[in-house]
Every structure is written in C-alpha cells, then in structure tokens.
Amino acid sequence: MFQENLSPDLDASRIDPRIDPGIDPGIDPRFVFDYQSYDEVEPGQRWSTWLSVEPLSRGPEPRPDWVVTSQGAIDTELGILKTGKEADVFLLDRTDPHDPAQSVVMAAKRYRAPDHRTFHRSASYTEGRSMKRSRDERAIKRKSTFGREVAAGEWAVSEWNALKRCWELGLPVPYPVQVDGTEILMEWISVDGETAPRLAQTRPEPALLASYLDQLRDAMATLVQAGLVHGDLSPYNILAAGERLVIIDLPQLVDLVGNAQGFDFLLRDCTNVCSWFTRRGLEVDPQELFGELVAHAF
C-alpha cells in the first residue's frame, strides 16, 4: 500500500481512520491505493506486446470483446499449429494472471527467418505494388540476406493490411489483433476447443455444401467489388467453422486491375473452388462463376 503525505492546506482532522484501520489518520485516503505485483515470466512466456506496438499496428475498431489489452497480460506459447513454406502458425495464450476474465487463445503467424525461402511466386503477386524505399526493393530483387529480411517483413505487413481491409469489408476472415515485425496475432478459428478443419478435410451434407458455396460466392463477389482477388483461394486455405466458412492466408491479395494477371488469378480461384464442390457432388461451372464475378467488377 502506498501512502503520500498531506499537503499543508488539507485538514488532517477530517480524515476518518475507520475507512481503513491501516491508514495513518494523517494520510489523505485520496493518495492511498492498492497494487498487485506480477511474477517474472517463465521460459516460453513473454509480457504482452499489445502496448509495445504502434496504434496502427493494432486491430481495427470496434474491437471484439475478447481482445486482451491489459498491460499485465502474459503471452504463453502453446505449441505449433501449422507449418508452411513461408510462415509457421503457433497457438498463443494471452492472459492477465490477476484478471482471469482477460484471457484468450490466439493464432500467431510468424514469417520465416531470412535463411528460409521467401514467398513462392512472389513476383507475380507483387506486380503493381510499390515499396516505400527503393533500397529495400533493390535488396529483395538481389535476394541478399537483408533483402530476405525485408521480404519477410513485407509479407507480414501485406497480410496484416489484407486482413484489416477484409475485416472492414465484412468478409469472413480472422480478426487481426496486432502485427509486430514478422509476427501477426489473429483470431484463432476453433470448433469445440479444437482448430477448425480446412474445407478440404470436410464432407458436408448437401444442404451445408450448398450453404458453403453461397458463402464463398458472396465473399468472392465482395472482394471483386472492392477491386481485390484472393489470388490463392482453395479448399486448403478456407476453414469450416461449423456452419460458417472463414478465409485465411491472405498475404498475396491481388489488385484485380493493377496487377496484369489479376483476372487470371480470379479465374484460377474460381476453378480451384468449383472443382472441389464438383467432387463433393455439387456441380458448379467455374466459367459461369468467373463471369458472374467479373460482372461485379464493373
């Protein structure tokens, strides 16, 4: 408990010691507060990085109620969720030990270190994009160590911006919590405490299958209306969270018009999606879906 001396103009006789028997009658209770100490973090833990990142590196408002913003929260590694060519995804628990209500499990996507390969087919996806510093762009083209570091950070920022934009468009994507260097923290999409399966792993009944197609058609149309294409859409980067679908893996989000291959990417997305639905027994023509989506673009 912290105690502060009264200023000369305060009347100590007015302080009622019955407020707290442990308070000296000469101490103004307005200057008395309780505090709680936090233990040091253990291996595999760190203090929450929420307040250490810039405000623009935090998720869009209004934020979901489950986002933990406590300065005393601790991040605890729970293990790896998925490995990939460009990034690995881990489960991360963020909890304030003195306020159990502030607790959440998130997905932490971390782009690979410079000694690993950078994003596949990156040149075709980044066409039409510009970088703030020409030095960084030259380094990436030379594939130097510094260039690979820049590339990893650029892809993390690209996916962060894509997640924010898609969330603000009302698309079914994980809520982006924060980005810090090459790490993105985002909503963990789960079903009954387990990670939601990829669409490719499911065999939905006909009614649910039709609902899934409608959801994807609407999501793709919303993207196209915003001048965007996922660019790598397939049943392997769509999660089936019960009756709803959630689209993931967005670092390569393509400008439909600014990228010379934008419409090619859109047709490929249509083909990948329709092929899976056809194999599951729901006939869908990719050319028909492509034409429908192109109509939304103009």
Side-chain angles (χ1 to χ4, degrees):
M1 187 170 291
F2 177 85
Q3 297 185 349
E4 180 69 43
N5 290 329
L6 285 170
S7 59
D9 58 336
L10 290 175
D11 183 0
S13 64
R14 297 174 58 190
I15 305 302
D16 187 350
R18 291 174 298 178
I19 295 175
D20 186 335
I23 298 178
D24 188 308
I27 302 299
D28 186 344
R30 291 176 298 176
F31 294 97
V32 179
F33 63 89
D34 292 324
Y35 70 91
Q36 294 174 311
S37 63
Y38 285 78
D39 297 330
E40 292 297 320
V41 296
E42 299 178 358
Q45 295 182 324
R46 70 186 185 194
W47 292 109
S48 168
T49 55
W50 174 260
L51 291 179
S52 65
V53 300
E54 296 294 328
L56 291 178
S57 296
R58 301 175 193 145
E61 296 183 354
R63 299 186 182 103
D65 294 339
W66 53 261
V67 175
V68 175
T69 61
S70 170
Q71 188 172 3
I74 293 174
D75 293 346
T76 304
E77 294 278 351
L78 299 180
I80 194 162
L81 185 62
K82 173 189 171 185
T83 59
K85 295 179 180 179
E86 296 81 30
D88 297 321
V89 182
F90 298 80
L91 282 182
L92 189 80
D93 177 279
R94 174 168 287 177
T95 299
D96 185 333
H98 292 296
D99 185 4
Q102 291 214 55
S103 179
V104 67
V105 175
M106 300 177 289
K109 186 169 185 177
R110 295 165 185 160
Y111 279 83
R112 294 291 188 85
D115 54 332
H116 292 274
R117 58 184 294 187
T118 56
F119 194 85
H120 65 294
R121 303 188 304 273
S122 60
S124 58
Y125 285 114
T126 56
E127 183 178 344
R129 294 183 187 175
S130 60
M131 300 189 68
K132 292 182 179 180
R133 298 191 303 179
S134 58
R135 171 174 173 261
D136 293 347
E137 192 167 2
R138 291 195 302 271
I140 290 176
K141 289 180 179 178
R142 289 198 305 269
K143 298 182 180 180
S144 64
T145 298
F146 173 70
R148 291 195 296 272
E149 291 176 344
V150 171
E154 281 295 316
W155 281 110
V157 170
S158 293
E159 179 155 26
W160 168 255
N161 289 332
L163 279 169
K164 284 202 305 179
R165 188 168 183 186
C166 288
W167 177 269
E168 290 168 343
L169 286 171
L171 287 161
V173 298
Y175 177 77
V177 177
Q178 66 176 77
V179 61
D180 187 9
T182 57
E183 178 188 72
I184 302 174
L185 298 185
M186 67 185 81
E187 178 184 3
W188 174 44
I189 307 301
S190 62
V191 178
D192 298 328
E194 299 291 335
T195 301
R198 299 177 186 180
L199 183 60
Q201 299 170 312
T202 67
R203 294 185 178 277
E205 295 295 325
L208 183 56
L209 188 67
S211 173
Y212 282 168
L213 177 60
D214 289 340
Q215 291 179 51
L216 275 181
R217 180 185 285 113
D218 290 345
M220 295 174 76
T222 299
L223 276 172
V224 168
Q225 288 168 353
L228 301 170
V229 181
H230 184 284
D232 195 27
L233 192 63
S234 80
Y236 292 94
N237 47 34
I238 301 170
L239 301 181
E243 296 184 353
R244 71 185 183 103
L245 297 182
V246 179
I247 299 172
I248 59 173
D249 294 337
L250 295 157
Q252 71 293 316
L253 198 68
V254 173
D255 186 314
L256 180 61
V257 177
N259 188 305
Q261 301 179 60
F263 285 93
D264 293 333
F265 283 125
L266 179 60
L267 178 57
R268 190 177 68 185
D269 284 355
C270 292
T271 301
N272 289 339
V273 168
C274 291
S275 296
W276 183 84
F277 279 96
T278 299
R279 290 195 300 271
R280 289 294 185 268
L282 184 60
E283 291 288 340
V284 192
D285 186 341
Q287 291 289 344
E288 183 178 331
L289 177 59
F290 176 72
E292 177 185 328
L293 294 174
V294 169
H296 284 286
F298 300 100

